[in-house]
Amino acid sequence: MRSSKLLGPLVAAAMIGGVSLQPAAAVPRTTTVRYFVTAEAHKYWHAFTHCPSGMLATGGGGGGGSSEVRLVSTQAIDGGTGWDVTIANPTDHSVVFSVYAICYSGLTNYQVRTETAAAAPNDVSNGWSDCTLGGKVLGGGVWADTYNVSLREMSASQPRNAYFGQLRNWDSVPRTMTIQTICANGITPDAFVTDLYEDVAPGQNGISEATCPPNRTIISGGPLGSSTVMSIPDPQPDVTKWMISVRNETSSTERFAATVLCGI
């Protein structure tokens, strides 16, 4: 069991949950697995879920329940067999949120790689993790050595064959952020779709969704832009859309958009 840390006004807590689903006789090409968790007020909550046997994660995330819930870490775990998130619930009430994994079968040369970057105090920092050992970039994750962060941008870059991550470190001391990339063959990522950028006024919420072209399914997705606090709700059941919600906690108008990597 992994425990959370006491950070600022939030009381630390840990909630680890997982679900292991037995596949039918034939392993599907792709599926989305979800696990629901209730996060108590003023606490950090941690949860994970696993892909069915014979499948590996290409992307994932977590969120829902309240626009004030903040996603502070998201990553593939256990060699890519599942997905793990941590959220911060600063509200005065319990919130139900979900962690989910986008899973595929038939992947080869599957790798989960990480790189670190400095996270300056009370500032925005970013970094890359490259697929240097072969395979195409499919997705990835971002986290730091503190929960007192806001995830901002996360996306796969096909031209660089790498994963990009950006966060804001709210601490007054330097921290280290980790950018994770998932690389593999056996699937062709051939469409990168970005929704129109939306403006979000200070203290307001916004929603954006990006949809895969016909006959394509989600590989992974994420947010782009400058909004500083976000939760990422579940993909649609047809596994063709990626939706994000954000809350702007800055004093100026910020821009954001959902992005999705699709393939066959």
mmCIF file of all heavy atoms in Angstrom, residues 196-217:
data_model
loop_
_atom_site.group_PDB
_atom_site.id
_atom_site.type_symbol
_atom_site.label_atom_id
_atom_site.label_comp_id
_atom_site.label_asym_id
_atom_site.label_seq_id
_atom_site.Cartn_x
_atom_site.Cartn_y
_atom_site.Cartn_z
ATOM 1 N N LEU A 196 -11.036 22.889 -30.446
ATOM 2 C CA LEU A 196 -10.816 24.321 -30.463
ATOM 3 C C LEU A 196 -10.477 24.816 -29.060
ATOM 4 O O LEU A 196 -11.075 24.377 -28.073
ATOM 5 C CB LEU A 196 -12.062 25.052 -30.975
ATOM 6 C CG LEU A 196 -12.464 24.764 -32.423
ATOM 7 C CD1 LEU A 196 -13.771 25.482 -32.747
ATOM 8 C CD2 LEU A 196 -11.365 25.183 -33.389
ATOM 9 N N TYR A 197 -9.505 25.704 -28.976
ATOM 10 C CA TYR A 197 -9.122 26.240 -27.667
ATOM 11 C C TYR A 197 -10.259 27.083 -27.087
ATOM 12 O O TYR A 197 -10.932 27.828 -27.804
ATOM 13 C CB TYR A 197 -7.861 27.089 -27.789
ATOM 14 C CG TYR A 197 -6.598 26.272 -27.782
ATOM 15 C CD1 TYR A 197 -6.131 25.667 -28.946
ATOM 16 C CD2 TYR A 197 -5.875 26.084 -26.612
ATOM 17 C CE1 TYR A 197 -4.966 24.914 -28.945
ATOM 18 C CE2 TYR A 197 -4.707 25.333 -26.605
ATOM 19 C CZ TYR A 197 -4.260 24.747 -27.774
ATOM 20 O OH TYR A 197 -3.122 23.996 -27.765
ATOM 21 N N GLU A 198 -10.452 26.939 -25.777
ATOM 22 C CA GLU A 198 -11.478 27.684 -25.061
ATOM 23 C C GLU A 198 -10.816 28.604 -24.045
ATOM 24 O O GLU A 198 -9.784 28.261 -23.449
ATOM 25 C CB GLU A 198 -12.419 26.722 -24.329
ATOM 26 C CG GLU A 198 -13.126 25.722 -25.223
ATOM 27 C CD GLU A 198 -14.272 26.332 -25.992
ATOM 28 O OE1 GLU A 198 -14.673 27.463 -25.654
ATOM 29 O OE2 GLU A 198 -14.757 25.690 -26.929
ATOM 30 N N ASP A 199 -11.411 29.781 -23.825
ATOM 31 C CA ASP A 199 -10.945 30.696 -22.790
ATOM 32 C C ASP A 199 -11.724 30.444 -21.508
ATOM 33 O O ASP A 199 -12.950 30.273 -21.533
ATOM 34 C CB ASP A 199 -11.142 32.149 -23.220
ATOM 35 C CG ASP A 199 -10.215 32.540 -24.354
ATOM 36 O OD1 ASP A 199 -9.121 31.955 -24.453
ATOM 37 O OD2 ASP A 199 -10.590 33.424 -25.157
ATOM 38 N N VAL A 200 -11.015 30.444 -20.381
ATOM 39 C CA VAL A 200 -11.644 30.248 -19.078
ATOM 40 C C VAL A 200 -11.270 31.423 -18.191
ATOM 41 O O VAL A 200 -10.082 31.684 -17.952
ATOM 42 C CB VAL A 200 -11.181 28.928 -18.414
ATOM 43 C CG1 VAL A 200 -11.928 28.715 -17.107
ATOM 44 C CG2 VAL A 200 -11.405 27.755 -19.353
ATOM 45 N N ALA A 201 -12.266 32.131 -17.700
ATOM 46 C CA ALA A 201 -12.035 33.288 -16.847
ATOM 47 C C ALA A 201 -11.570 32.844 -15.460
ATOM 48 O O ALA A 201 -11.784 31.695 -15.059
ATOM 49 C CB ALA A 201 -13.313 34.116 -16.742
ATOM 50 N N PRO A 202 -10.936 33.716 -14.696
ATOM 51 C CA PRO A 202 -10.482 33.363 -13.341
ATOM 52 C C PRO A 202 -11.620 32.836 -12.475
ATOM 53 O O PRO A 202 -12.715 33.390 -12.456
ATOM 54 C CB PRO A 202 -9.949 34.695 -12.800
ATOM 55 C CG PRO A 202 -9.550 35.459 -14.017
ATOM 56 C CD PRO A 202 -10.548 35.087 -15.074
ATOM 57 N N GLY A 203 -11.363 31.714 -11.804
ATOM 58 C CA GLY A 203 -12.343 31.120 -10.918
ATOM 59 C C GLY A 203 -13.446 30.351 -11.616
ATOM 60 O O GLY A 203 -14.362 29.847 -10.961
ATOM 61 N N GLN A 204 -13.381 30.236 -12.951
ATOM 62 C CA GLN A 204 -14.430 29.557 -13.700
ATOM 63 C C GLN A 204 -13.968 28.184 -14.184
ATOM 64 O O GLN A 204 -12.782 27.850 -14.153
ATOM 65 C CB GLN A 204 -14.852 30.414 -14.891
ATOM 66 C CG GLN A 204 -15.418 31.765 -14.493
ATOM 67 C CD GLN A 204 -16.622 31.646 -13.587
ATOM 68 O OE1 GLN A 204 -17.602 30.970 -13.921
ATOM 69 N NE2 GLN A 204 -16.570 32.301 -12.437
ATOM 70 N N ASN A 205 -14.962 27.383 -14.641
ATOM 71 C CA ASN A 205 -14.696 26.029 -15.136
ATOM 72 C C ASN A 205 -14.915 25.972 -16.643
ATOM 73 O O ASN A 205 -15.645 26.784 -17.217
ATOM 74 C CB ASN A 205 -15.630 25.020 -14.466
ATOM 75 C CG ASN A 205 -15.554 25.082 -12.961
ATOM 76 O OD1 ASN A 205 -14.477 25.206 -12.389
ATOM 77 N ND2 ASN A 205 -16.707 25.002 -12.304
ATOM 78 N N GLY A 206 -14.295 24.992 -17.284
ATOM 79 C CA GLY A 206 -14.489 24.788 -18.708
ATOM 80 C C GLY A 206 -14.413 23.319 -19.066
ATOM 81 O O GLY A 206 -13.811 22.522 -18.336
ATOM 82 N N ILE A 207 -15.037 22.941 -20.178
ATOM 83 C CA ILE A 207 -15.042 21.554 -20.652
ATOM 84 C C ILE A 207 -14.671 21.542 -22.126
ATOM 85 O O ILE A 207 -15.103 22.401 -22.895
ATOM 86 C CB ILE A 207 -16.418 20.893 -20.447
ATOM 87 C CG1 ILE A 207 -16.740 20.755 -18.953
ATOM 88 C CG2 ILE A 207 -16.468 19.518 -21.109
ATOM 89 C CD1 ILE A 207 -18.115 20.180 -18.678
ATOM 90 N N SER A 208 -13.870 20.562 -22.511
ATOM 91 C CA SER A 208 -13.484 20.409 -23.908
ATOM 92 C C SER A 208 -13.412 18.923 -24.229
ATOM 93 O O SER A 208 -13.066 18.110 -23.358
ATOM 94 C CB SER A 208 -12.121 21.062 -24.159
ATOM 95 O OG SER A 208 -11.677 20.836 -25.483
ATOM 96 N N GLU A 209 -13.763 18.546 -25.458
ATOM 97 C CA GLU A 209 -13.633 17.150 -25.863
ATOM 98 C C GLU A 209 -13.108 17.062 -27.288
ATOM 99 O O GLU A 209 -13.410 17.892 -28.129
ATOM 100 C CB GLU A 209 -14.944 16.388 -25.717
ATOM 101 C CG GLU A 209 -16.048 16.795 -26.654
ATOM 102 C CD GLU A 209 -17.279 15.913 -26.500
ATOM 103 O OE1 GLU A 209 -17.572 15.491 -25.362
ATOM 104 O OE2 GLU A 209 -17.948 15.673 -27.521
ATOM 105 N N ALA A 210 -12.272 16.051 -27.523
ATOM 106 C CA ALA A 210 -11.725 15.780 -28.847
ATOM 107 C C ALA A 210 -12.196 14.394 -29.277
ATOM 108 O O ALA A 210 -12.197 13.454 -28.469
ATOM 109 C CB ALA A 210 -10.206 15.849 -28.826
ATOM 110 N N THR A 211 -12.596 14.260 -30.533
ATOM 111 C CA THR A 211 -13.207 13.030 -31.041
ATOM 112 C C THR A 211 -12.353 12.424 -32.147
ATOM 113 O O THR A 211 -11.895 13.124 -33.050
ATOM 114 C CB THR A 211 -14.616 13.307 -31.580
ATOM 115 O OG1 THR A 211 -15.402 13.907 -30.549
ATOM 116 C CG2 THR A 211 -15.288 12.026 -32.040
ATOM 117 N N CYS A 212 -12.165 11.111 -32.082
ATOM 118 C CA CYS A 212 -11.412 10.404 -33.111
ATOM 119 C C CYS A 212 -12.180 10.391 -34.435
ATOM 120 O O CYS A 212 -13.410 10.401 -34.447
ATOM 121 C CB CYS A 212 -11.156 8.961 -32.688
ATOM 122 S SG CYS A 212 -9.956 8.776 -31.339
ATOM 123 N N PRO A 213 -11.474 10.335 -35.576
ATOM 124 C CA PRO A 213 -12.142 10.196 -36.873
ATOM 125 C C PRO A 213 -12.866 8.850 -36.955
ATOM 126 O O PRO A 213 -12.626 7.950 -36.140
ATOM 127 C CB PRO A 213 -10.980 10.257 -37.871
ATOM 128 C CG PRO A 213 -9.836 10.849 -37.122
ATOM 129 C CD PRO A 213 -10.020 10.436 -35.702
ATOM 130 N N PRO A 214 -13.733 8.665 -37.943
ATOM 131 C CA PRO A 214 -14.440 7.383 -38.104
ATOM 132 C C PRO A 214 -13.455 6.220 -38.238
ATOM 133 O O PRO A 214 -12.374 6.358 -38.813
ATOM 134 C CB PRO A 214 -15.233 7.589 -39.401
ATOM 135 C CG PRO A 214 -15.410 9.067 -39.507
ATOM 136 C CD PRO A 214 -14.172 9.665 -38.934
ATOM 137 N N ASN A 215 -13.866 5.087 -37.686
ATOM 138 C CA ASN A 215 -13.085 3.846 -37.762
ATOM 139 C C ASN A 215 -11.749 3.934 -37.039
ATOM 140 O O ASN A 215 -10.820 3.176 -37.333
ATOM 141 C CB ASN A 215 -12.864 3.422 -39.218
ATOM 142 C CG ASN A 215 -14.163 3.248 -39.972
ATOM 143 O OD1 ASN A 215 -15.107 2.654 -39.460
ATOM 144 N ND2 ASN A 215 -14.221 3.795 -41.192
ATOM 145 N N ARG A 216 -11.629 4.868 -36.089
ATOM 146 C CA ARG A 216 -10.442 4.978 -35.250
ATOM 147 C C ARG A 216 -10.868 4.904 -33.791
ATOM 148 O O ARG A 216 -11.983 5.283 -33.436
ATOM 149 C CB ARG A 216 -9.703 6.295 -35.500
ATOM 150 C CG ARG A 216 -9.214 6.498 -36.909
ATOM 151 C CD ARG A 216 -8.151 5.485 -37.289
ATOM 152 N NE ARG A 216 -7.552 5.743 -38.593
ATOM 153 C CZ ARG A 216 -8.015 5.266 -39.734
ATOM 154 N NH1 ARG A 216 -9.118 4.517 -39.733
ATOM 155 N NH2 ARG A 216 -7.401 5.518 -40.872
ATOM 156 N N THR A 217 -9.992 4.405 -32.945
ATOM 157 C CA THR A 217 -10.278 4.326 -31.516
ATOM 158 C C THR A 217 -9.203 5.065 -30.729
ATOM 159 O O THR A 217 -8.084 5.291 -31.212
ATOM 160 C CB THR A 217 -10.342 2.866 -31.028
ATOM 161 O OG1 THR A 217 -9.128 2.198 -31.395
ATOM 162 C CG2 THR A 217 -11.533 2.144 -31.639
#
